[in-house]
Amino acid sequence: MNSPLRQALIWLMLAIAALAVAAAVFVGYQVTQAPPVTELKTTKVPEPSVILSADGKTIGRFQEQRSQPVTLTQVSPYVTQALIATEDHRFREHHGVDWLRSIKAILRTATGRMEGGSTLTQQLVRNLFPEDIGRSRNLGRKVKEIVTALRIERIYTKDQILEAYLNTVPFLYNAVGIEAAAHTYFDKPAIELDAAESATLVAMLKGTNYYNPVLHPKRAKARRNLVLAQMLKRGVLSQEDHDLASAEELQVTLTHQSVDLDMAPHFAAHVRKWLDDWADTHDRDLAREGLIIHTTLDSRLQEAATKAVERQTEALQNVADVEWSAASMPVISRTLDSYAQASKAKAFDHFWRQHPTLLADAARRTPDYRQLIKAGNTPAAALISVQGNAELMAKVRTSKTRLEAGFVAVDPRNGAVKAWVGSRDFDDEQFDHVAQAARQPGSTFKPIVYAAALESGILTTRTYVDTPIAIRLGNGKVWRPTDMSGSTGESMTMWQGLVLSKNTITTQVMQDAGLPRITALAKAMGITDSELDPVPSMALGTSPVTLLEMATVYATIASGGEHKQPYFVERITDKQGKEVAVFGPNKVDRALSAETVNNLIDMMRGVVTYGTGTMLRTRFVPEGDLAGKTGTTQNNTDGWFMVMHPQLVTGAWVGFNDQHVTMRGSYWGQGGHSALLLVGDFLRTAFKQKLVDSQATFASPRRPPVTGNGEWNPTSDEVDESAPLLDSEGNPITTDPAGEQPLNPAMDNDDEDGGAPKTSEELDQLVNRLGRSSDNRPVLSPPPVPERTLEPTRP
């Protein structure tokens, strides 16, 4: 062998030896850093992270909530079978590390297909020693994890390891361990979990947020069925049992365990979900590190919002209870107190007599019914048994007819969320009606339509004829949007169309602006998560959106046309006050021109001064520069009210979770009389306590009403704003929720706008009383506009 080759080999051998020594030193060091294994429990007392409001009040904590530890005999065998079949099918064979699986995982990861190779024992190590092991994807962590897993396997039996794993594995909603998870998601102990339920919980271990069965049921069901398939493959589930379990729908009943959420539980839960993602990305343990999360919430505004929701929804519940109590709807003075005095009426008695099928369906959804079916009862026998339980059925009826609400307030200057109420009571309803519930927004969507028209160059003085409209749909049917008061045949400016919430006018504005422009603008203004259906009825608010999205839209207007996505966390610090992360406002994108904003705000000032939102002024807050919009969907299913102030945008939704249940009367069923109560109550407190500056004004100048020909006959209505159901000939089906009789356009229409004028004479008196500026623009004499049948912009 020549000298150069020999020298190369020597150097290569020396390099290999040096690497081996370095590797040995590295591994040896990591072994010394691996935690000692004395007993299968955490060795340090965790210190929970705390969520604070902007003014330093505690909103919530990331305290782990463990139920009493359970033994394997107290856990359904389906759980252990699903766990081993899916996560570690050679669990009984290896000694802590599945070397074959690890090598396969390395090779597949090298080809770009990420795959984990950790055993249940290694996962247990991460659960037990998060601070000692860490979660960073590096070689040091992996060595310590392997060493600790091998130590555990030498000391403890497989059953002890499995038991410790099931008692320490974290789930969402503050549940740690299989017992807490069983109670949280299925309201039962772990021993009673069936195959489908066990597979659902095991499926979450792949990614608790991603496979959350509450928020992502389709995704969770697909993953659950994959777990069931693995159980079939490993021979722990028969083909028949597999098929039955796979066909089941997710039967999740979210029941929060003891959670330390203080003044704003839905807000804290939303923040927690966002922080969970942040913590996973940055390898932080929020339940143990004692971090301080500083949010944007104002505790004073939050308290005002909570009290407003409590007071006004209780009053509205009285209304619904009384109005649905008898076949002949009680004629009561239109004051909320009168309904409270009539509370002896049997709540919703008439409603349930009219909807026996709905009640039977609700009975079938109870855990009691499912248990009877699993016990071998026929569906008919199980239903009779459940319906014979008077106490249970009373709870079912009360739950179905419980009025719900959502409320949110956002600072339009930076997008900071200042108040958030997700339901009437978190203990009764954890579902969040601010960020989770997507409902038809009704006329609160209309400002987007008018903004699109203004952006396209149409002036607020543009006139339209209030006449019946027909739009041919792509399926050959005809959509005929209507207003409760019918069509007047009069010319009306675009300004009047929005103030009076006229569907016939809005439909024509939509045609002139174009659906593509409206859809794009809605997204640019803040509807970023909900899917909009670009059909003509979208202009009247038929595409479901969340309350938070609508608040974002109105904040975009109030901020001068700048879209700022709402944010809720300012910064995160450690226990010593050192900043860990800083967030602050999101980026700004311009969505509307300044001229469009000026005109739009002025038009929406008219809503609360002359139109459908006048109750805000007459009953709650006569002062302040306010602009807003009411919204009501078909059959009074959803009531909305959105209002803008230069420093605060506030929105509320009122309705029932089951959309078969609605407010019966058209007066209290309107957003201008239901959701408006919540917002008005809140703003009255905010102004009185000087939490909002009542002297602040928009940049948009105040302008006199644009009345076209000077003869304005405003009949404000908010009922049936959504696209009505069509019969086979394309005509709207207008029956009330009980199916009793056709709706009378004049029924319950007296004073429905909270005191808005009904004739041109009344309007003139109102305008003169409120004051008309000296620079009133000349009266426009619009040319006659013929009736027209509008064709859709797109099929």
Side-chain angles (χ1 to χ4, degrees), residues 280-308:
D280 286 342
T281 303
H282 295 85
D283 191 30
R284 308 304 295 245
D285 190 337
L286 295 167
R288 295 171 177 270
E289 291 188 42
L291 299 176
I292 310 298
I293 295 92
H294 304 265
T295 71
T296 60
L297 200 80
D298 186 310
S299 68
R300 300 162 301 174
L301 290 173
Q302 179 65 25
E303 181 181 6
T306 301
K307 289 182 177 179

Side-chain angles (χ1 to χ4, degrees), residues 454-473:
L454 292 168
E455 287 287 279
S456 66
I458 300 174
L459 302 177
T460 58
T461 52
R462 171 73 173 271
T463 57
Y464 297 88
V465 176
D466 179 17
T467 185
I469 301 296
I471 295 183
R472 301 185 187 280
L473 304 177

Side-chain angles (χ1 to χ4, degrees), residues 684-697:
R684 179 170 57 191
T685 301
F687 281 6
K688 183 177 180 180
Q689 296 182 2
K690 301 188 183 305
L691 303 177
V692 178
D693 183 5
S694 62
Q695 302 303 311
T697 60

Side-chain angles (χ1 to χ4, degrees), residues 354-540:
Q354 294 294 306
H355 296 81
T357 303
L358 182 62
L359 186 58
D361 182 62
R364 293 187 188 96
R365 295 177 182 274
T366 61
D368 303 67
Y369 177 85
R370 294 196 296 268
Q371 289 299 324
L372 288 169
I373 293 295
K374 289 179 181 179
N377 291 273
T378 64
L383 181 61
I384 291 173
S385 178
V386 170
Q387 290 184 319
N389 187 332
E391 183 179 355
L392 173 62
M393 291 308 296
K395 291 180 179 178
V396 169
R397 285 191 289 269
T398 299
S399 174
K400 277 285 183 180
T401 57
R402 178 180 172 81
L403 185 76
E404 274 303 339
F407 182 99
V408 69
V410 178
D411 188 336
R413 296 168 295 182
N414 53 22
V417 174
K418 310 307 289 186
W420 182 310
V421 182
S423 72
R424 288 176 64 183
D425 190 321
F426 187 77
D427 290 336
D428 292 326
E429 178 62 274
Q430 287 88 39
F431 187 65
D432 186 2
H433 295 87
V434 172
Q436 288 180 272
R439 303 292 290 244
Q440 290 186 339
S443 287
T444 57
F445 188 87
K446 288 179 180 176
I448 302 174
V449 177
Y450 286 79
L454 292 168
E455 287 287 279
S456 66
I458 300 174
L459 302 177
T460 58
T461 52
R462 171 73 173 271
T463 57
Y464 297 88
V465 176
D466 179 17
T467 185
I469 301 296
I471 295 183
R472 301 185 187 280
L473 304 177
N475 58 9
K477 293 186 176 182
V478 178
W479 175 54
R480 295 184 174 90
T482 60
D483 290 294
M484 189 71 171
S485 57
S487 301
T488 64
E490 298 177 355
S491 294
M492 188 175 289
T493 65
M494 191 166 71
W495 189 93
Q496 292 170 315
L498 180 59
V499 169
L500 298 182
S501 201
K502 298 293 290 185
N503 294 334
T504 54
I505 303 300
T506 303
T507 302
Q508 296 173 66
V509 173
M510 173 269 295
Q511 287 288 321
D512 287 346
L515 278 174
R517 183 191 296 272
I518 294 169
T519 304
L521 187 59
K523 294 178 180 178
M525 292 174 71
I527 301 179
T528 54
D529 294 326
S530 298
E531 198 70 34
L532 293 174
D533 188 13
V535 295
S537 64
M538 181 186 74
L540 305 187

